Amino acid sequence: MTDPAVSAEPPVSLRELRARAEEVVTPEAWEYLETGAGAEVSLGEAESAWQRWRFRPYVLRDVAQISTSCRLLGHDLATPVLVAPTAYHEPYHPTAELGTAEGVRDAGSLLCLSTRSSRTVERVAEHAGPWWLQVYVMTDRDITEAMVDRAVAAGASALVLTGDTPYVSRRARGTALPLQDEVALVNVQQHLAGRTWSSLEQDPRVTYADIEWLASRSGLPVLVKGVLRADEARACVTAGAAGVVVSNHGARQLDRVVPTALALPEVARAVADQVPVLVDGGIRSGHDVATALALGADAVLVGRPTMYALATGGAPGVTAMLRALTAQLAEAMGLLGISSLGGFDRSLVEDVTHARG
């Protein structure tokens, strides 16, 4: 028997959910969500990279009861499937980030809220369960400090420093959303007196020292997002990071960057015994989640699937999507011969592409 939170939901096809989402959002919003960087090579590889791994299941194990629950930086969650930070939810549903937060909360999951949300952190916090704030260090750092202070006051339990964006790269397709300034600037407009948009640009001078700066300012654990190398993961932990997120920014920054499904194993080997390791990028099924956990991740994050679910079903849609992915994970766990997340290990997966030369 599985956890009640994951046993009743039917499977969801994210391919179908994506097709329905494309029908209901504007072309501009769709291109903004779906675009990648450069020639979109990395975008095309994100999903298929997970599929190069194959399972080696255990047999004759007691799997009468399956639990997908996990504990992550002090939070007891029903699922290791979390929601990644994505900017500006308003173009996808009238409830915007409020709907997303409610959907994540009701699924027993955790929300990582983008600094560039279309609702204030205070309003989102009122609708959320556990949540973290994704942080860009801006050119005018006092704006970042003010955002961090507000997030702490509103109940954020961690900060996620995006490390792969010293500046925003050129995207392959539509790059601008038709947002009014009062929406695009809703989280920062109170800090902009006498300043220009350049104050909000990413600061390319960010270094490892800023991990400790953010931790000291907030009193919260700081995770670093955008880590794709073992040496970088170790350096982040040495500098005080409380966790790392293996991510290539949804293939929206540097094209031809390694898929996260291939970067995860070396990062996990380097630091998984010290801090939590999370991963995002191209995760579209419970089998992908199971693969990530077997490769050493403690949890995964989904970005674009969350937006598909929000666009087509609001808060209930987000809940249903997360529960369905978790139900797929629970089924895979039973067939792999493990009954809890602690049963995952590297022996459960094999890279068949490598094995075949």
Side-chain angles (χ1 to χ4, degrees):
M1 182 176 181
T2 59
D3 284 343
V6 303
S7 61
E9 297 297 327
V12 62
S13 166
L14 287 182
R15 181 174 299 178
E16 294 176 5
L17 198 63
R18 179 181 182 276
R20 295 206 305 269
E22 186 175 9
E23 293 176 353
V24 300
V25 303
T26 66
E28 294 85 0
W30 185 252
E31 289 293 274
Y32 179 83
L33 177 63
E34 291 292 286
T35 190
E40 300 187 315
V41 173
S42 293
L43 183 66
E45 293 175 342
E47 296 179 30
S48 62
W50 291 107
Q51 298 170 21
R52 68 186 285 170
W53 298 98
R54 295 293 183 270
F55 294 120
R56 287 185 175 271
Y58 296 114
V59 297
L60 299 178
R61 303 293 179 97
D62 182 354
V63 290
Q65 295 188 7
I66 305 291
S67 173
T68 61
S69 63
C70 67
R71 185 168 181 81
L72 186 62
L73 293 180
H75 294 295
D76 292 314
L77 306 173
T79 176
V81 185
L82 317 181
V83 167
T86 52
Y88 306 129
H89 292 196
E90 180 168 287
Y92 304 94
H93 195 271
T95 61
E97 285 83 2
L98 308 186
T100 305
E102 290 177 2
V104 176
R105 178 198 66 201
D106 292 347
S109 183
L110 181 147
L111 169 67
C112 186
L113 179 67
S114 172
T115 287
R116 296 194 175 108
S117 62
S118 45
R119 297 293 183 271
T120 65
V121 294
E122 290 84 3
R123 289 192 65 196
V124 176
E126 292 173 356
H127 295 257
W131 66 282
W132 301 339
L133 179 70
Q134 174 269 333
V135 176
Y136 287 119
V137 177
M138 302 175 197
T139 301
D140 285 8
R141 292 193 168 206
D142 62 308
I143 298 179
T144 300
E145 290 178 336
M147 282 290 301
V148 166
D149 293 348
R150 288 168 54 202
V152 171
S157 58
L159 303 179
V160 179
L161 171 62
T162 294
D164 60 8
T165 313
Y167 48 84
V168 176
S169 71
R170 184 174 300 173
R171 306 286 159 79
R173 290 175 277 160
T175 58
L177 282 172
L179 291 173
Q180 297 179 336
D181 281 355
E182 55 263 35
V183 174
L185 300 175
V186 67
N187 257 317
V188 295
Q189 58 189 355
Q190 63 182 284
H191 312 300
L192 282 179
R195 308 194 221 203
T196 66
W197 274 89
S198 63
S199 301
L200 305 177
E201 293 175 355
Q202 275 86 259
D203 188 347
R205 299 166 298 176
V206 174
T207 69
Y208 297 120
D210 293 308
I211 299 171
E212 177 58 31
W213 166 59
L214 288 171
S216 297
R217 179 81 189 191
S218 66
L220 298 178
V222 176
L223 299 88
V224 178
K225 180 175 177 286
V227 177
L228 294 170
R229 300 167 54 105
D231 52 357
E232 289 285 336
R234 286 190 290 265
C236 287
V237 173
T238 298
V244 296
V245 182
V246 179
S247 174
N248 63 19
H249 212 105
R252 295 165 72 86
Q253 278 295 101
L254 177 64
D255 196 21
R256 301 192 186 184
V257 71
V258 64
T260 56
L262 304 187
L264 172 61
E266 73 168 70
V267 172
R269 284 194 299 269
V271 299
D273 60 338
Q274 303 172 62
V275 299
V277 174
L278 288 74
V279 63
D280 66 19
I283 293 169
R284 299 293 183 268
S285 72
H287 288 82
D288 295 340
V289 179
T291 299
L293 298 177
L295 291 173
D298 295 282
V300 307
L301 302 104
V302 291
R304 289 183 177 98
T306 302
M307 304 309 294
Y308 305 154
L310 179 69
T312 55
V318 173
T319 299
M321 181 274 296
L322 291 170
R323 286 183 172 172
L325 282 178
T326 307
Q328 292 172 2
L329 168 64
E331 179 182 70
M333 288 170 62
L335 296 173
L336 284 167
I338 57 177
S339 58
S340 69
L341 301 190
F344 279 102
D345 65 64
R346 182 63 176 78
S347 73
L348 286 167
V349 290
E350 177 182 328
D351 181 350
V352 293
T353 305
H354 178 73
R356 294 172 183 171

